[in-house]
Amino acid sequence: MLDRHTAGPRTPGTATRGETVPTVPPASTPARRTAVDVTALLERGRTLATPVLRAAVDRLAPPMDTVAAYHFGWIDAQGNPADGDGGKAVRPALAVLSAEVTGAAPAVGIPGAVAVELVHNFSLLHDDLMDGDEQRRHRDTVWKVHGPAQAILVGDALFALANEILLELGTVEAGRATRRLTTATRALIDGQAQDISYEHRDRVSVEECLEMEGNKTGALLACASSIGAVLGGADDRTADTLEKYGYHLGLAFQAVDDLLGIWGDPEATGKQTWSDLRQRKKSLPVVAALAAGGSASERLGEMLAADAKSSDFENFSEEEFAARAALIEEAGGREWTAEEARRQYAIALEALDAIDMPAMVRDRFAALADFVVVRKR
């Protein structure tokens, strides 16, 4: 499986202070990739996976089936049909696309797409509860509507369903795919544990933050990028290389998410302003700013250390959080993170060159990487 010991991050501190850097891919991105309709690619994954996903959720005993349906946006809090935002559907799109690397039909990747989506949503249900998040995709989270117990139970049930969906195929390839999924799930849980522990530390290194984000986000995107190919009969070398693409794409994805977690528009993200700062998250912009050195970095460190001891932190004003965000930017944390997103994006694309696949499939993988790095929410 994937060897994640690749080139390390740049050392923070070399950025131009205070400059806002857009999260865009390098200027060398080939123009031919613009021919790929990413919206259609995402919708294909969603359309193929959703009926199977709904059928899987229907297996759950009441009220877990209803709670899960609410989480996925299929019904509202009163049980009425709803057309909720089910997320970007990047993982199902990758799983279906990866089946085509082997020459298999997209449908071969559907069980993998559904399994990955079930694990992803298992993690969201638990993370929302652990983080105390009351909103996701512009709706109240499950634990707020149905209570913490249901959030835990439904999350556990979705994880069990993910393995069930794959193992029911009864093939050697299904067993290989399940092993990769369970390995990715364990890494994801490790990442969440690291994330929580870092909230209570004054300092976290950039390397520790990248390891945490690689576990929490990169591992499951790596699995999504390879699981369809595994189901299509790909050898381990091909699957491992696709995992490398997905792992580094996940790090780019999370770097952009970290930027949005501080500077994102609440109307687009569905979360509060300065949401990651409110949760004391040691995200990449924060740890990069603290590691950069200089007066802004020192002032930020002193401020965050005081915040950890403050009994009034939950009552901080918008201006107080804005001041912390300004120091992160002044210290170079915002620009460093945007550049790290571009660096991880480039590593992901380089991995594709090591695999023989149809040009159309390669272009679609590249277009999905472009979408992840330039997304707004």
Side-chain angles (χ1 to χ4, degrees):
M1 292 188 182
L2 174 62
D3 178 6
R4 298 188 175 99
H5 297 287
T6 53
R10 295 183 304 109
T11 301
T14 58
T16 303
R17 305 298 187 194
E19 180 183 354
T20 300
V21 178
T23 53
V24 295
S28 60
T29 300
R32 63 186 173 83
R33 290 182 194 152
T34 60
V36 176
D37 186 342
V38 175
T39 300
L41 199 57
L42 295 170
E43 189 56 34
R44 179 182 75 159
R46 190 196 312 275
T47 300
L48 289 173
T50 296
V52 182
L53 184 61
R54 282 180 174 264
V57 168
D58 284 345
R59 300 183 190 185
L60 299 180
M64 291 190 297
D65 55 348
T66 301
V67 175
Y70 171 78
H71 170 73
F72 282 106
W74 304 332
I75 60 174
D76 63 20
Q78 289 71 46
N80 301 311
D83 186 19
D85 176 9
K88 292 168 284 293
V90 171
R91 292 167 189 82
L94 286 169
V96 170
L97 181 61
S98 73
E100 296 180 292
V101 171
T102 66
V108 170
I110 293 175
V114 171
V116 168
E117 196 67 357
L118 287 167
V119 167
H120 174 55
N121 282 278
F122 139 72
S123 73
L124 296 183
L125 283 161
H126 285 193
D127 289 4
D128 284 344
L129 175 58
M130 286 183 275
D131 294 343
D133 285 341
E134 297 185 354
Q135 290 276 306
R136 177 170 294 281
R137 300 167 187 158
H138 308 282
R139 309 165 81 227
D140 286 345
T141 48
V142 164
W143 73 265
K144 188 176 181 186
V145 175
H146 295 282
Q150 284 300 322
I152 294 170
L153 286 170
V154 174
D156 291 347
L158 294 187
F159 173 56
L161 274 177
N163 292 285
E164 194 175 313
I165 291 294
L166 288 175
L167 291 173
E168 282 179 346
L169 296 174
T171 63
V172 171
E173 290 77 17
R176 293 172 58 216
T178 304
R179 181 184 175 191
R180 287 180 181 266
L181 181 66
T182 53
T183 299
T185 304
R186 181 172 54 79
L188 183 156
I189 294 169
D190 287 347
Q192 176 66 358
Q194 291 169 318
D195 194 15
I196 291 173
S197 70
Y198 292 170
E199 292 174 19
H200 304 287
R201 285 172 49 180
D202 288 343
R203 296 277 176 153
V204 173
S205 71
V206 171
E207 290 75 15
E208 286 176 314
C209 187
L210 286 171
E211 180 187 4
M212 176 270 289
E213 296 194 341
N215 284 331
K216 189 170 179 179
T217 304
L220 196 57
L221 269 176
C223 184
S225 300
S226 65
I227 196 166
V230 172
L231 292 173
D235 60 23
D236 284 340
R237 177 190 169 277
T238 299
D240 289 348
T241 306
L242 287 171
E243 280 200 357
K244 181 178 180 181
Y245 159 86
Y247 180 77
H248 290 283
L249 180 61
L251 283 172
F253 183 100
Q254 189 59 52
V256 174
D257 216 51
D258 286 353
L259 291 169
L260 295 175
I262 298 177
W263 294 282
D265 178 1
E267 290 296 319
T269 64
K271 295 184 177 182
Q272 285 181 289
T273 54
W274 326 116
S275 62
D276 283 0
L277 297 182
R278 294 178 191 275
Q279 294 176 11
R280 297 191 178 99
K281 283 192 176 294
K282 299 300 188 295
S283 61
L284 273 178
V286 175
V287 299
L290 290 173
S295 61
S297 179
E298 291 176 6
R299 281 183 286 146
L300 176 66
E302 293 169 358
M303 191 175 286
L304 295 181
D307 290 350
K309 300 174 184 177
S310 173
S311 60
D312 197 42
F313 181 80
E314 293 182 358
N315 298 318
F316 277 13
S317 67
E318 291 289 299
E319 290 73 20
E320 287 173 299
F321 287 116
R324 286 150 180 75
L327 280 175
I328 294 169
E329 186 163 1
E330 184 181 345
R334 184 174 185 173
E335 182 178 2
W336 187 92
T337 302
E339 178 57 31
E340 183 65 10
R342 289 191 287 265
R343 191 181 79 87
Q344 296 292 345
Y345 158 94
I347 296 173
L349 291 190
E350 287 172 6
L352 297 176
D353 295 334
I355 306 175
D356 183 21
M357 68 178 83
M360 178 187 68
V361 175
R362 188 185 309 276
D363 287 350
R364 288 176 171 177
F365 272 118
L368 283 171
D370 293 349
F371 168 78
V372 163
V373 179
V374 302
R375 68 196 171 93
K376 302 299 182 186
R377 63 183 180 92

